[in-house]
Amino acid sequence: MGALREGQAAFRVAISGYYGFRNSGDEAVLRSIVTALREEAWAAGVEIEPVVLSGDPAWTQSAHGVEAAHRMRPAEVLRTLRGCDALISGGGSLLQDATSAKTIPYYTGIVGLARLLGKPVFVYAQGIGPVKRAWLRPLVRAAMNASRIVTVRDEESAALLARLGAARGRIEVVPDPVMGMPLPPDAEARAGDGMGGQGPGDDGAAPVVGVSVRRWRPDGADLARVAEALAALVRRRAVRLRFLPLHTPDDAEASRAVMDRLAALGAGDAAELAEPGDDPQRMLLEVGRCSLIFGMRLHALIYAANRGVPMLGLSYDPKIDHFLARLGLAPIGTTEALDAEAFASAADGLLTPEGAEAWRERYGSAIEALRREARRPAQLVVETLRGMA
């Protein structure tokens, strides 16, 4: 974008989220936020210098081209916040207690420290909840009410914050930032406008079904049902099942478990495991090469929407249902119930040229709206900082 122009204001902005853990979805959120901030800042005549609080600062700096500090070293966090002009909290599902009771105190603690230091806080496209423990709710409410701008990624998050006592009029619903993430620069020229993936059978080869799975049930029954559903599809038509691990090494291990089950069901020859590396834009490119995505991971579905690839979502968390609902879709099943033949029938229909085209015609306008709106939080941040200059 060029060098700093004469007289151009520059702002250092700390970014707090689940970064540096090589989770493709979270790294995609960070890449999308950084890209949007830099581009919106350039258009507004200012500069943003991101400083990311990361679990692996050296890796984050190398992967994203940003300055980084260790998120779990109090002295580094304090020094970073003191040296920045503002804090962005987000994106992702930070304020929830489903994974741990420690998550909300950590992220709201970062917000509280920033406010004690007199720094404005921007809540950036977060998914909120669940917040099952009553003692955590005041922490969420206080963090939201202390923030200059609050944007969340679905109506359900906004409604939950309002029930917790946050001022509803200050909360704006926006898309997940990854809806606005571009392909790698060297892939843009070859990828067209992004509405469609490879298309079923465009080159005469079997269509590619991208599969994103994760471990959820301790007994593995959900992954067994996924394998049975995919095997039912293989019995109907020739496909390539390309497993896409979004969180390594865990998702690769879960993918191999499903592939082993497929082999036992006689469908192992159709399956392969992708190795796109840690770059989220490379994973976006992988998804764009598929004819259909069958996903458990939220960002596998968001990648698919970004590239206009038909999708079937398997719900393990309300955030899956909430995202699909924004497009007018519903999950094909859950980790508790998945009808193999119903899945195979739905997938088979989407893998025909007519089915894929009808899907894009039906959902394309909703996808385009989310793409356009994905930059809104970055615009709000830049406008506010520019007003401070």
Side-chain angles (χ1 to χ4, degrees):
M1 278 181 279
L4 189 67
R5 291 166 284 194
E6 185 176 355
Q8 184 177 7
F11 300 93
R12 287 172 60 81
V13 178
I15 303 178
S16 170
Y18 189 71
Y19 305 129
F21 297 95
R22 292 169 171 77
N23 182 318
S24 179
D26 291 295
E27 299 307 326
V29 168
L30 178 58
R31 180 70 54 83
S32 302
I33 290 174
V34 169
T35 299
L37 286 172
R38 285 173 168 167
E39 293 183 356
E40 294 297 332
W42 181 257
V46 299
E47 182 175 286
I48 299 290
E49 300 173 3
V51 185
V52 178
L53 300 179
S54 168
D56 187 341
W59 182 84
T60 294
Q61 185 167 336
S62 174
H64 295 283
V66 295
E67 187 178 339
H70 203 290
R71 72 199 295 271
M72 297 306 292
R73 294 177 183 164
E76 286 193 34
V77 173
L78 179 60
R79 184 168 59 249
T80 296
L81 293 178
R82 276 181 173 161
C84 286
D85 299 291
L87 169 71
I88 286 174
S89 178
S93 302
L94 306 183
L95 301 183
Q96 49 79 25
D97 61 358
T99 55
S100 171
K102 299 177 182 179
T103 303
I104 289 174
Y106 172 79
Y107 290 110
T108 58
I110 297 293
V111 169
L113 180 57
R115 294 302 300 128
L116 281 174
L117 295 170
K119 313 297 182 178
V121 175
F122 306 103
V123 174
Y124 197 117
Q126 286 201 33
I128 311 296
V131 186
K132 298 178 181 178
R133 296 169 176 86
W135 65 274
L136 293 174
R137 295 167 190 164
L139 301 182
V140 175
R141 178 173 61 248
M144 295 301 102
N145 290 335
S147 300
R148 182 75 63 92
I149 291 170
V150 178
T151 57
V152 295
R153 70 185 180 197
D154 51 59
E155 291 287 350
E156 293 80 4
S157 294
L160 175 57
L161 287 181
R163 292 196 300 273
L164 295 180
R168 180 63 180 90
R170 299 180 58 249
I171 303 168
E172 185 169 340
V173 178
V174 297
D176 188 284
V178 179
M179 283 301 304
M181 185 173 72
L183 289 169
D186 61 345
E188 288 282 8
R190 296 181 282 108
D193 65 4
M195 286 300 291
Q198 79 168 20
D202 282 354
D203 58 0
V208 177
V209 177
V211 183
S212 166
V213 293
R214 59 163 297 166
R215 285 208 176 272
W216 188 250
R217 286 179 55 111
D219 63 2
D222 48 352
L223 297 184
R225 284 190 282 269
V226 166
E228 290 162 6
L230 292 170
L233 174 61
V234 170
R235 289 193 292 270
R236 286 178 180 246
R237 68 158 57 231
V239 295
R240 288 169 55 206
L241 303 175
R242 189 158 173 80
F243 285 78
L244 307 173
L246 268 69
H247 190 181
T248 55
D250 296 350
D251 288 7
E253 187 274 331
S255 296
R256 291 189 187 98
V258 176
M259 293 168 70
D260 288 345
R261 180 72 176 174
L262 282 167
L265 294 170
D269 290 345
E272 60 191 32
L273 183 64
E275 295 185 5
D278 294 322
D279 190 323
Q281 288 174 290
R282 292 289 165 188
M283 180 60 83
L284 182 65
L285 186 61
E286 281 278 353
V287 169
R289 290 169 173 158
C290 296
S291 300
L292 173 69
I293 292 294
F294 177 36
M296 284 179 71
R297 287 285 187 188
L298 172 63
H299 281 94
L301 303 175
I302 294 174
Y303 285 153
N306 179 304
R307 304 310 303 154
V309 176
M311 71 188 78
L312 294 170
L314 184 70
S315 179
Y316 75 94
D317 184 280
K319 65 186 179 183
I320 304 296
D321 307 69
H322 297 164
F323 173 70
L324 292 173
R326 293 199 74 174
L327 298 180
L329 294 165
I332 191 65
T334 72
T335 50
E336 303 303 315
L338 174 62
D339 186 300
E341 293 303 325
F343 165 81
S345 178
D348 189 41
L350 291 172
L351 289 170
T352 66
E354 299 79 14
E357 183 58 30
W359 189 93
R360 292 185 190 104
E361 288 181 2
R362 182 171 182 180
Y363 303 109
S365 59
I367 289 171
E368 285 302 325
L370 293 183
R371 281 179 173 173
R372 288 193 305 270
E373 296 164 9
R375 294 294 185 94
R376 174 66 175 160
Q379 293 167 357
L380 292 171
V381 170
V382 170
E383 288 172 7
T384 304
L385 292 176
R386 190 183 183 197
M388 295 165 49

